[in-house]
Amino acid sequence: MSSDIVITVENLSKCYQIYSSPRDRLKQFFIPNFQRAIGSEPRNYFREFWALRDVSFEVKKGESVGILGRNGSGKSTLLQMICGTLSPTAGSVETKGRIAALLELGSGFNPEFTGRENVYMNGALLGLSGHQVDDRFDAIASFADIGDFIDQPVKTYSSGMLIRLAFAVQVQVEPDILVVDEALAVGDALFQKRCFRRIEKLVSDGTTLLFVSHDQESVRTLTSRALLLKQGRTVTWGKSSDVVLEYRRQLHDEESSYFTAATKQLAAKAQAAATPEPPADSADQPAGSSDTVSPAAAPRSDKLSFGDGEVKIVKVETLNGEGQDSTVFFPGDEIRVRITCEALRPVTNLNVGVRIRNKEGIKIYSWGTLNQDMRSRASASDVPMFWEKKFSAGETFSVELSCDCPLGMNLYEIQATVTFEETPDYMAQRVLHWIDEAAFFQVLMNRDVNFFGGVADLRMNAKW
């Protein structure tokens, strides 16, 4: 292992034996050995389940790596093998340095011991002496912020208190490798903020981070590289923003497949109700008519876009207040984003919107025509709703979204979207076309006219 490589995973695999009944487990213990003894081919009474298969990657010292994937994709299994609490079936994993891990809520805590006793016990497990824990105890108790409960048995703690104490112990030992597996989702918003701030400090000081979360924005902003797993196998490994995009596309495709199957089932039930006695030879016919559009079968535009394909975004332009093409703006300037779409089939109930991110990947703002429609409905306005507009197949239409620029100096990315909204309230949405990096613009600043720091101009005033 190279000196700057702290985690090396090579062809790592984990297989579990699944038995249909306890009787089969007992048979597996005796019968195959007997069959081998008499020279027969042994028979297995289990089926194999590969929780992880042929996963390989390397992590450098001080690097922050996110691990993404749906439930059951093998994320926790991978982390447990890296931490050494689970043995691999095949492959190898090597680590260098002290590992602190938050894998399961309260793992390593004795419920009968007090919080104080568990702090000392966990410190010993992490290789700290009693004097070293003494030196760190005040910092641990302060970070956990559980008050007098520190001297109460852990079994009386809430889940939030438990994760506070567990995280406080792990980060105060200043590990070489910190592993966090969805544990922070339990804490409240203020505690999560403190945890992320502490994690960022540890990473800046050279700690290597393995971070598992379903929060895509946290993975994008907190990690530099990421691994996407699906059914125990590597889907992609690379820059976090690229991996998050692939994960988002994967979730959309799976959601489309689910809703397509559900639609077919409902169509089949409706057809059966309308025809009580169908002909015998129709039982094997597929549900739905021949002109039904299958969202899952719709083409994808390119690697930066996805959607069901009933409407496609043709062009995204940034314009100034006079309607001229522009990619450079100053605070206070009018920014217009023109999104041109084409309907590929008759459609209504649309929402055309944007999502704006800065070059660090932080989402600054998201808004769409539906937001304006909702505002109109709330005020009982008689302004026509875009959501109610109907578009015919082949029709091309444009929407301009505009605002006065309140942004700080930076480079900004526009993600453009057109979605189908079953109800005008964002409660039932289906993506028809989404484009990452649909357009870019830059905000500069004239220091003599309007100068401020940060991501946005709050337009403060001073009085004295």
Side-chain angles (χ1 to χ4, degrees):
M1 185 186 294
S2 172
S3 59
D4 63 337
I5 302 296
V6 295
I7 301 175
T8 301
V9 175
E10 292 184 357
N11 301 318
L12 199 61
S13 302
K14 181 62 179 179
C15 181
Y16 291 97
Q17 297 177 352
I18 308 298
Y19 296 92
S20 299
S21 66
R23 182 183 303 164
D24 288 341
R25 187 183 295 273
L26 187 61
K27 288 179 181 178
Q28 181 64 31
F29 188 77
F30 291 105
I31 296 179
N33 292 329
F34 176 74
Q35 290 171 331
R36 291 190 191 95
I38 63 176
S40 300
E41 185 71 22
R43 174 193 169 188
N44 289 328
Y45 293 87
F46 60 85
R47 60 182 176 86
E48 293 183 341
F49 171 72
W50 290 88
L52 208 66
R53 195 139 200 185
D54 298 327
V55 174
S56 300
F57 62 93
E58 290 183 336
V59 181
K60 296 180 181 179
K61 181 179 180 181
E63 192 173 20
S64 52
V65 173
I67 301 177
L68 287 166
R70 298 199 62 186
N71 291 334
S73 61
K75 304 186 300 297
S76 296
T77 301
L78 172 61
L79 293 187
Q80 288 180 58
M81 286 192 284
I82 290 174
C83 293
T85 59
L86 197 63
S87 299
T89 303
S92 64
V93 56
E94 295 181 48
T95 61
K96 291 171 61 177
R98 175 189 290 158
I99 300 177
L102 287 170
L103 296 180
E104 295 180 11
L105 191 62
S107 58
F109 279 1
N110 186 323
E112 300 298 330
F113 287 5
T114 66
R116 184 183 299 272
E117 292 166 338
N118 272 292
V119 166
Y120 279 88
M121 183 179 71
N122 269 255
L125 291 174
L126 291 168
L128 298 180
S129 66
H131 291 300
Q132 288 175 312
V133 178
D134 287 339
D135 294 338
R136 292 170 168 82
F137 185 83
D138 288 343
I140 292 172
S142 175
F143 195 97
D145 192 22
I146 59 175
D148 294 338
F149 278 92
I150 193 71
D151 291 310
Q152 296 299 317
V154 165
K155 65 182 180 181
T156 64
Y157 287 12
S158 66
S159 58
M161 294 166 62
L162 200 60
I163 197 61
R164 281 172 180 265
L165 186 61
F167 186 86
V169 174
Q170 301 291 349
V171 297
Q172 289 298 332
V173 300
E174 298 179 352
D176 299 299
I177 302 172
L178 177 62
V179 180
V180 181
D181 183 8
E182 279 295 347
L184 303 187
V186 179
D188 56 52
L190 180 59
F191 180 68
Q192 288 181 21
K193 178 181 177 181
R194 293 169 60 194
C195 290
F196 286 131
R197 187 184 302 159
R198 178 63 180 172
I199 289 174
E200 288 173 347
K201 183 179 184 306
L202 287 172
V203 171
S204 66
D205 290 342
T207 296
T208 301
L209 173 67
L210 286 184
F211 182 68
V212 171
S213 176
H214 290 292
D215 185 344
Q216 299 169 31
E217 289 301 321
S218 294
V219 172
R220 188 199 304 274
T221 56
L222 200 59
T223 65
S224 56
R225 290 202 290 170
L227 173 71
L228 176 59
L229 296 175
K230 182 178 181 180
Q231 296 177 349
R233 293 184 180 272
T234 299
V235 175
T236 184
W237 159 255
K239 197 167 118 182
S240 293
S241 57
D242 296 336
V243 175
V244 167
L245 175 61
E246 182 60 34
Y247 180 49
R248 189 188 300 145
R249 184 185 293 112
Q250 180 190 111
L251 291 176
H252 173 265
D253 289 344
E254 292 178 4
E255 183 181 74
S256 292
S257 298
Y258 169 80
F259 282 115
T260 299
T263 301
K264 287 183 177 181
Q265 289 179 358
L266 291 173
K269 289 180 180 179
Q271 188 175 16
T275 311
E277 296 181 2
D281 60 356
S282 68
D284 295 330
Q285 296 296 320
S289 60
S290 60
D291 61 349
T292 300
V293 175
S294 171
R300 302 295 188 260
S301 297
D302 54 46
K303 68 176 184 177
L304 291 175
S305 69
F306 58 87
D308 289 346
E310 296 166 35
V311 176
K312 70 176 181 180
I313 298 171
V314 179
K315 185 192 293 185
V316 178
E317 306 163 274
T318 55
L319 314 170
N320 61 23
E322 285 73 43
Q324 301 169 332
D325 290 342
S326 179
T327 56
V328 177
F329 300 91
F330 289 84
D333 287 354
E334 182 181 0
I335 299 177
R336 299 183 189 178
V337 180
R338 180 188 294 158
I339 303 173
T340 303
C341 306
E342 180 184 356
L344 304 182
R345 58 172 291 180
V347 67
T348 186
N349 303 150
L350 296 184
N351 171 40
V352 178
V354 294
R355 190 178 188 187
I356 298 175
R357 299 188 312 177
N358 61 18
K359 71 175 184 290
E360 290 78 25
I362 298 173
K363 183 176 79 170
I364 304 298
Y365 187 66
S366 60
W367 196 87
T369 55
L370 188 63
N371 297 74
Q372 184 165 296
D373 290 342
M374 293 170 65
R375 188 167 58 204
S376 297
R377 291 178 69 233
S379 62
S381 170
D382 57 358
V383 175
M385 291 176 59
F386 183 83
W387 182 78
E388 295 175 341
K389 288 180 65 67
K390 297 180 180 179
F391 301 95
S392 57
E395 182 177 354
T396 299
F397 60 94
S398 295
V399 173
E400 276 193 15
L401 309 177
S402 64
C403 68
D404 289 337
C405 177
L407 301 172
M409 192 163 55
N410 210 330
L411 176 68
Y412 296 91
E413 170 201 351
I414 295 176
Q415 298 171 321
T417 68
V418 55
T419 57
F420 171 81
E421 307 287 343
E422 187 174 333
T423 54
D425 52 15
Y426 281 111
M427 297 301 291
Q429 184 182 82
R430 182 160 55 87
V431 177
L432 303 183
H433 199 185
W434 173 301
I435 303 181
D436 268 35
E437 301 183 3
F440 291 89
F441 66 91
Q442 191 173 8
V443 174
L444 303 179
M445 198 171 294
N446 188 334
R447 300 177 66 97
D448 297 331
V449 177
N450 185 13
F451 178 71
F452 61 90
V455 298
D457 184 4
L458 299 183
R459 296 172 183 171
M460 285 187 170
N461 290 297
K463 292 183 179 180
W464 57 89

